[in-house]
Amino acid sequence: TQLLEQSPQFLSIQEGENLTVYCNSSSVFSSLQWYRQEPGEGPVLLVTVVTGGEVKKLKRLTFQFGDARKDSSLHITAAQPGDTGLYLCAGAQGNNRLAFGKGNQVVVIP
Amino acid sequence: NAGVTQTPKFRILKIGQSMTLQCTQDMNHNYMYWYRQDPGMGLKLIYYSVGAGITDKGEVPNGYNVSRSTTEDFPLRLELAAPSQTSVYFCASSYTSTGAQPQHFGDGTRLSIL
């Protein structure tokens, strides 16, 4: 059973377009993290959201944590080829673990 | 800064062979983790450790063993390699286990069992 469902699994867009990807769960998380992974490398943390309804911005990336702390979204404005990568969301679990989703593979075409 | 270092980067094993995947971190983190990543399946936790001498099973521990004799090192042992263990293995560490702290990942070991 996958605790975190990410959609869409794969998204290909042209440079300059906007995109939104989603991370949904039926479970409540105390916090949720977003990572980006590039080919041949390990995931790198982008942001952590803690409070329900919280919105965080990282340059052209906007992250939102749902009011009920069960879901999150990542919006990229004016996507660039450097945004290409696998975006992973991970929910904090009370037993010292992170539960990862399967990821959103984003490809930005120049 | 080195961060989390994994060796080797690539390895091919025959069925039934054994090997140890090495992981070391220089950030003095208490918590360390081993994950496997299969295509389209995200990261699955194999084992984790909350400090030297303490380890616990994750979601998919069968076929693997770990030890944590020092804060820096957290090796993962495969005793009898099976084709189902073909995967990319990531080691990670964090200062604490709380959700607000990031996990720092190595670049992975790509393992094929033939």
Side-chain angles (χ1 to χ4, degrees):
Chain A
T1 303
Q2 193 75 26
L3 272 180
L4 288 162
E5 298 289 342
Q6 294 190 243
S7 61
Q9 275 191 287
F10 181 84
L11 183 60
S12 177
I13 62 170
Q14 294 290 329
E15 181 177 358
E17 292 181 339
N18 301 334
L19 69 97
T20 303
V21 295
Y22 301 92
C23 173
N24 295 302
S25 177
S26 57
S27 301
V28 175
F29 292 101
S30 58
S31 65
L32 196 142
Q33 299 177 356
W34 282 92
Y35 291 79
R36 180 167 65 206
Q37 184 179 19
E38 299 187 17
E41 299 181 4
V44 176
L45 181 75
L46 295 173
V47 75
T48 300
V49 285
V50 179
T51 306
E54 182 177 5
V55 176
K56 279 193 173 179
K57 292 191 175 183
L58 184 65
K59 296 183 181 178
R60 291 173 295 97
L61 278 61
T62 301
F63 303 85
Q64 184 162 8
F65 201 13
D67 291 341
R69 290 185 289 127
K70 292 183 179 181
D71 53 80
S72 181
S73 63
L74 160 59
H75 180 79
I76 302 179
T77 302
Q80 298 178 2
D83 297 324
T84 293
L86 179 68
Y87 290 83
L88 294 161
C89 69
Q93 296 184 288
N95 55 349
N96 302 332
R97 306 177 187 184
L98 283 177
F100 281 86
K102 294 183 180 180
N104 308 105
Q105 180 64 55
V106 172
V107 175
V108 182
I109 302 167
Chain B
N1 293 332
V4 177
T5 302
Q6 293 184 237
T7 57
K9 293 189 183 301
F10 305 92
R11 185 73 184 269
I12 298 174
L13 283 182
K14 294 182 179 179
I15 295 172
Q17 287 185 322
S18 62
M19 79 163 292
T20 299
L21 282 66
Q22 302 291 345
C23 175
T24 186
Q25 52 93 7
D26 62 359
M27 296 172 283
N28 200 32
H29 285 168
N30 292 328
Y31 291 86
M32 296 188 74
Y33 313 83
W34 274 106
Y35 295 90
R36 59 177 288 172
Q37 185 176 37
D38 300 314
M41 295 302 293
L43 290 160
K44 301 289 187 183
L45 183 65
I46 304 172
Y47 271 95
Y48 66 106
S49 169
V50 302
I54 306 170
T55 63
D56 208 346
K57 295 178 180 179
E59 188 179 356
V60 289
N62 291 345
Y64 307 94
N65 280 301
V66 293
S67 60
R68 184 93 181 272
S69 58
T70 67
T71 299
E72 293 79 18
D73 300 308
F74 190 39
L76 177 71
R77 178 85 177 162
L78 282 72
E79 291 293 350
L80 289 171
S84 61
Q85 293 176 306
T86 293
S87 190
V88 182
Y89 291 85
F90 288 98
C91 179
S93 70
S94 69
Y95 182 62
T96 72
S97 68
T98 64
Q101 298 296 326
Q103 290 190 9
H104 299 262
F105 286 82
D107 285 337
T109 293
R110 284 145 189 83
L111 181 62
S112 294
I113 316 295
L114 304 175

